[in-house]
Amino acid sequence: MDLVKFRNDVNQMTEKLSCGLKEKDVFKLNNVCQQLIEMYQKNLVKINHSILELICASNLISRGYTVKVEKDISDILVCDIYAKKGDGDTIIEIETGFTPPEHAMDTIDYFAARIMSKIARYSQYCSKFSLATPAVGNLPISKVFLLPPNARNENDVRKIQDLCDRYYKNPPIKYDDVLNARLHSIYLINIDKGFAKEVDPQGYVELTENLLRRSEIEY
């Protein structure tokens, strides 16, 4: 653990992001920065992930949200970013595409299951749920989540549930969790330039579907 380097890195990114914020919003972003430093001291966060959280937090703060990072939302779930504005709240889960060594032989299936399980689990705890990823990565978004629940095919929902069951059993993903899951947007993060662009899921899938590999199910 290198607290000095972590503090320098997050402070540098915070200062960079602050250039585009109003004075009152700079205070909010500094608060997020301090949250991350305190969590790093407890060995709860890593620098790469923290930089991504800062960029997304800056985007939300500039739009009037109050932001917390690494927030408990249930007995078993901690979300990357929780933001609130008025009566509405939003959760953003950041995905870098990392898969552990034990899934070296089934990387795509594992990654797809993780993405789908996050949509199913987290979206029930907020009025708006989004995924975020560095602009260099592609997220395998199932087209099922582009449809409203009443238009989703039962077999397609079962396929997603079965894939999630291969990797997530404690607790398992329920059928209704997949059926009613909602994905409102995806944030593409440009780390070098320090900004995040929000796009709708349909546009994102159309942009990336030709680049995605296929697994046992249609993504």
Side-chain angles (χ1 to χ4, degrees):
M1 181 181 296
D2 189 341
L3 179 59
V4 173
K5 187 178 188 313
F6 182 90
R7 183 185 285 116
N8 288 341
D9 286 348
V10 293
N11 282 337
Q12 182 179 343
M13 179 56 74
T14 299
E15 183 177 353
K16 180 177 182 179
L17 295 168
S18 296
C19 294
L21 296 177
K22 298 177 182 177
E23 185 176 347
K24 64 181 179 63
D25 293 334
V26 172
F27 175 81
K28 292 181 180 180
L29 187 62
N30 284 334
N31 185 49
V32 172
C33 179
Q34 186 58 40
Q35 291 176 48
L36 291 168
I37 292 172
E38 292 173 1
M39 290 175 185
Y40 181 80
Q41 291 175 299
K42 300 175 183 177
N43 201 27
L44 296 176
V45 296
K46 305 292 186 183
I47 184 58
N48 288 1
H49 201 264
S50 296
I51 292 297
L52 297 171
E53 287 180 318
L54 272 174
I55 296 173
C56 287
S58 175
N59 180 289
L60 292 167
I61 288 169
S62 70
R63 291 154 52 197
Y65 285 88
T66 299
V67 177
K68 292 184 178 180
V69 291
E70 304 297 327
K71 177 177 171 58
D72 294 324
I73 56 173
S74 77
D75 292 340
I76 62 171
L77 292 179
V78 178
C79 69
D80 291 333
I81 296 175
Y82 177 84
K84 191 169 180 62
K85 181 171 71 171
D87 295 329
D89 59 356
T90 184
I91 287 174
I92 299 179
E93 275 295 297
I94 296 172
E95 271 298 338
T96 62
F98 171 79
T99 52
E102 55 266 31
H103 293 292
M105 300 298 291
D106 59 350
T107 299
I108 295 176
D109 278 359
Y110 172 81
F111 187 40
R114 186 169 71 198
I115 294 299
M116 294 172 191
S117 69
K118 283 194 171 186
I119 299 171
R121 289 195 200 276
Y122 285 85
S123 65
Q124 59 187 291
Y125 290 100
C126 57
S127 55
K128 179 180 178 181
F129 175 73
S130 302
L131 293 166
T133 186
V136 295
N138 292 322
L139 298 177
I141 306 297
S142 171
K143 292 182 179 179
V144 169
F145 297 118
L146 304 181
L147 302 172
N150 60 7
R152 295 176 184 176
N153 180 277
E154 180 179 353
N155 288 335
D156 292 337
V157 173
R158 293 288 183 194
K159 286 180 180 179
I160 291 175
Q161 184 186 19
D162 289 345
L163 180 63
C164 290
D165 282 346
R166 287 168 52 185
Y167 303 98
Y168 299 97
K169 300 181 183 298
N170 188 27
I173 302 295
K174 299 177 182 177
Y175 176 88
D176 285 348
D177 290 343
V178 178
L179 178 65
N180 297 312
R182 299 163 296 133
L183 177 63
H184 294 88
S185 66
I186 296 164
Y187 287 81
L188 298 178
I189 306 170
N190 186 315
I191 301 168
D192 297 18
K193 301 295 184 181
F195 71 87
K197 179 177 177 58
E198 186 177 16
V199 298
D200 68 277
Q202 180 70 48
Y204 181 83
V205 169
E206 291 175 357
L207 179 67
T208 62
E209 64 180 356
N210 291 331
L211 302 176
L212 296 175
R213 295 182 179 180
R214 303 295 179 177
S215 184
E216 296 178 335
I217 65 172
E218 188 76 11
Y219 290 149

